Amino acid sequence: MSVPPYQGDDIPRNEIKSVDASRDELSVDSDAARLAEMGYTQEMERGFSKWTLLGVSFALTNSWFGISASLVTGISSGGPIVTVYGIVIIAIINGCVAVSLSELVSAMPNSGGQYFWASELSPKKYANFLAYTTGAIGYAGSLFTCASVALAIGSALMGMIQLNHPNLYFSLFFLFFRVIERWMVFVAYQIFNLFAWVFNCWGKILPKIGSFFLYVSLVSMITITITVLATSSPKQNARFVFANFVNNTGWESNAIAFIVGLINPNWSFACLDSATHLAEEVPRPERNIPFAIMGTVAIGFFTAFIYSISMFFSMNNLDELVFSSTLVPILELYYQATGSKAGATFLEFMICFTGLGCQIACHTWQARLCWSFARDRGLPGSHLWSQVHPKMGIPFYAHSMSCFVVALLGLLYIGSTTAFNSMVTACIVLLYISYAVPITLLLIKGRNNIKHGPFWLGGFGLAANIVTLIWTLFTLIMYSFPYGKPVTAGSMNYVSAVYAVVFVLVFGYWFLRGHRTFRSKDERVVEAEHLTNHIPQASN
């Protein structure tokens, strides 16, 4: 169908919308046909648009929220400059990650994302094993991410209570508490996890929720930035913000301290693959998903960079942030700036509300990853997790099971905050590993030996692939260093232990059962032939 270009007011805008809707309807038909060629049936409704997809993608990554939630790491390991310059460094690196993912999803749009690409790009002999391993590692990373976001919001909620009621007694079964304890944060953690479960149970409203929280995030960031800048006095000088290095880690090497501090901005740009797992819920995914991924990085950089600089200019007492009784440094910063508990609480509430959108998007992401992986029989009980609920329009069982696992992971926080923090670090690196596998296979196969999608950057894409692989190796090694010295049981980085547990579970299941049950590429080819012979061809 040929559509004439828009010329001034010659064509009414309602007709333009009608044309766009017709395009999407035609696209849905061709998208379903292309999906059948991959060996899958169209089970999910393509209810997301380009902009609602961007909303969900950014609501999850939400870089400025991530900076707020993990501010203490950067403050102790480098001070303001590790956050300010770290955002620039991480944004450039994750721009390369975004380009790499965008090229792959544009060429092979499938909800399986990384593990599907690994299967398609691998030599036949290793395809099943590499696809399964990539999918399992990516799913583990998504669960850890959900847990980390729930903890960030739960900690913020309890911090607000502590700020406003420092002498309030908490009572339970005739026991009284005057300080925030870990079990209280754990309860808040479970509440937000439950909220995210509820909101994700209605598939038709998820696109609207995504758009809504995109605006919530941007409005919150602008409101907080303006308020803090306007009320804080005196302001810090430029030297404090751009040249003040703080090393309270105990590491003699400032370089190591800086690298440890990079975990803060790195966590703030994680989960860029989220949009790829909605490939079967958006029309023209080969174009719309790269737009969402690249847009997420661009918006994330500008909001996080402006926000962090504004916060550091408004900071008064660095030590009070690090040792705040609320255990929430950004809340203490708001209190320093406004001089008002009510004002600081309101600003922190905006952070919590933004975080709720992040948590909802987190569960949207991990539910789709679980569902698509189960569709290829990658998990125990896959026959259940691979079902799409006919009324809700979502993979309800996969979503519920994943939320339950996230709830269980919260128990680790009660046992050891250090171990839980190591799991947060692991979520970053595990996701990078899941990206690195298909990127490595792409380079081995040859970038020009696959059919390119509309998003393809040639030589720049090759450079982005190489940067992504180098950074993955770098984080795997350097993020395993202890957070501080001297190393004690309380300051140890247990991320290597987290890796060990994940890989034991992943490889253990593969050798015990997965190698027999995981759906092979050959099976998908047979299924594709069957499907393409029994569906009507999309009109052009």
Side-chain angles (χ1 to χ4, degrees):
M1 179 175 63
S2 176
V3 181
Y6 177 69
Q7 300 175 350
D9 294 323
D10 294 339
I11 302 176
R13 292 191 179 275
N14 61 337
E15 291 187 18
I16 295 174
K17 292 181 180 179
S18 177
V19 169
D20 288 340
S22 299
R23 280 177 171 173
D24 284 346
E25 289 176 5
L26 291 175
S27 175
V28 167
D29 292 336
S30 61
D31 292 337
R34 185 172 185 181
L35 188 61
E37 292 172 359
M38 299 179 189
Y40 300 93
T41 56
Q42 180 72 54
E43 296 182 84
M44 305 288 282
E45 182 180 344
R46 295 186 184 265
F48 284 86
S49 67
K50 177 166 63 176
W51 295 102
T52 56
L53 184 66
L54 174 62
V56 170
S57 183
F58 180 74
L60 173 52
T61 301
N62 233 324
S63 300
W64 76 271
F65 163 77
I67 293 295
S68 296
S70 56
L71 186 66
V72 69
T73 305
I75 289 177
S76 301
S77 307
I81 71 170
V82 77
T83 299
V84 173
Y85 297 117
I87 288 173
V88 177
I89 294 169
I90 297 299
I92 292 173
I93 291 170
N94 278 277
C96 293
V97 175
V99 167
S100 299
L101 296 178
S102 295
E103 286 188 330
L104 285 166
V105 75
S106 185
M108 295 171 281
N110 186 282
S111 290
Q114 305 97 293
Y115 89 82
F116 177 79
W117 306 331
S119 177
E120 291 294 297
L121 297 170
S122 297
K124 184 177 179 179
K125 182 178 180 181
Y126 306 106
N128 290 352
F129 175 72
L130 290 176
Y132 164 81
T133 302
T134 304
I137 291 173
Y139 180 51
S142 72
L143 292 173
F144 293 164
T145 304
C146 286
S148 67
V149 174
L151 178 68
I153 316 171
S155 298
L157 176 63
M158 300 313 299
M160 287 189 285
I161 295 175
Q162 179 70 33
L163 177 67
N164 287 277
H165 304 284
N167 298 315
L168 177 67
Y169 281 96
F170 289 86
S171 62
L172 179 69
F173 301 118
F174 306 105
L175 299 174
F176 298 90
F177 307 90
R178 292 193 66 160
V179 296
I180 299 297
E181 298 196 10
R182 273 185 276 182
W183 69 265
M184 300 173 187
V185 177
F186 171 77
V187 171
Y189 170 105
Q190 299 297 354
I191 290 172
F192 283 110
N193 185 48
L194 181 62
F195 265 111
W197 176 82
V198 171
F199 275 103
N200 269 278
C201 283
W202 285 274
K204 291 185 181 297
I205 67 171
L206 286 177
K208 294 180 180 179
I209 289 177
S211 296
F212 173 72
F213 277 106
L214 171 61
Y215 293 118
V216 165
S217 178
L218 296 177
V219 169
S220 297
M221 176 265 171
I222 293 170
T223 302
I224 293 171
T225 301
I226 293 175
T227 302
V228 171
L229 283 175
T231 57
S232 61
S233 181
K235 299 288 192 298
Q236 293 287 351
N237 56 44
R239 179 179 178 82
F240 174 82
V241 177
F242 297 106
N244 181 34
F245 190 86
V246 177
N247 184 358
N248 292 328
T249 64
W251 284 102
E252 295 179 3
S253 169
N254 286 338
I256 298 296
F258 184 86
I259 291 169
V260 171
L262 281 179
I263 294 174
N264 173 27
N266 208 158
W267 185 71
S268 304
F269 281 87
C271 318
L272 291 178
D273 65 300
S274 59
T276 69
H277 302 293
L278 292 167
E280 295 166 38
E281 296 177 66
V282 60
R284 292 176 285 182
E286 67 280 357
R287 296 181 182 276
N288 291 331
I289 295 178
F291 170 82
I293 295 174
M294 300 305 297
T296 294
V297 175
I299 298 173
F301 169 71
F302 285 110
T303 55
F305 190 67
I306 293 171
Y307 175 80
S308 62
I309 290 175
S310 302
M311 295 304 104
F312 288 127
F313 269 115
S314 305
M315 185 183 296
N316 291 329
N317 191 314
L318 191 61
D319 289 337
E320 287 184 3
L321 264 67
V322 176
F323 302 106
S324 171
S325 62
T326 67
L327 304 180
V328 184
I330 195 66
L331 176 59
E332 179 65 30
L333 191 154
Y334 295 159
Y335 183 44
Q336 288 182 9
T338 62
S340 164
K341 290 183 179 181
T345 301
F346 176 74
L347 297 182
E348 187 65 21
F349 171 78
M350 298 184 79
I351 289 280
C352 281
F353 197 49
T354 300
L356 178 60
C358 182
Q359 184 72 356
I360 293 171
C362 256
H363 281 294
T364 303
W365 165 47
Q366 53 89 359
R368 271 51 177 188
L369 210 167
C370 177
W371 164 72
S372 61
F373 194 44
R375 188 172 56 175
D376 285 313
R377 304 191 296 273
L379 295 169
S382 288
H383 66 285
L384 186 61
W385 321 132
S386 61
Q387 296 179 28
V388 176
H389 195 281
K391 292 184 178 179
M392 294 181 179
I394 64 163
F396 174 74
Y397 299 115
H399 167 51
S400 299
M401 185 270 287
S402 296
C403 286
F404 179 73
V405 174
V406 172
L408 292 180
L409 290 176
L411 294 171
L412 185 60
Y413 180 76
I414 294 181
S416 170
T417 56
T418 304
F420 190 93
N421 290 336
S422 298
M423 185 179 69
V424 173
T425 303
C427 83
I428 300 171
V429 181
L430 289 174
L431 289 173
Y432 278 139
I433 293 173
S434 75
Y435 307 157
V437 174
I439 292 172
T440 301
L441 294 170
L442 174 65
L443 296 182
I444 293 173
K445 186 179 182 68
R447 288 172 51 85
N448 291 324
N449 291 329
I450 69 168
K451 184 178 179 181
H452 300 167
F455 185 95
W456 192 261
L457 300 186
F460 185 83
L462 173 61
N465 294 162
I466 295 172
V467 169
T468 301
L469 295 180
I470 293 173
W471 183 249
T472 300
L473 181 61
F474 178 84
T475 56
L476 180 61
I477 298 170
M478 302 305 295
Y479 285 3
S480 298
F481 279 47
Y483 303 120
K485 293 183 70 176
V487 179
T488 64
S491 64
M492 181 63 186
N493 186 349
Y494 293 98
V495 69
S496 297
V498 176
Y499 297 150
V501 171
V502 170
F503 284 114
V504 165
L505 292 175
V506 169
F507 295 144
Y509 181 73
W510 172 259
F511 288 110
L512 288 175
R513 189 169 183 266
H515 69 283
R516 291 182 284 104
T517 59
F518 189 68
R519 188 184 185 211
S520 68
K521 184 177 179 179
D522 289 339
E523 289 181 84
R524 288 207 316 273
V525 170
V526 172
E527 183 68 15
E529 292 177 354
H530 172 76
L531 290 172
T532 53
N533 289 332
H534 289 82
I535 64 171
Q537 297 299 312
S539 56
N540 295 320

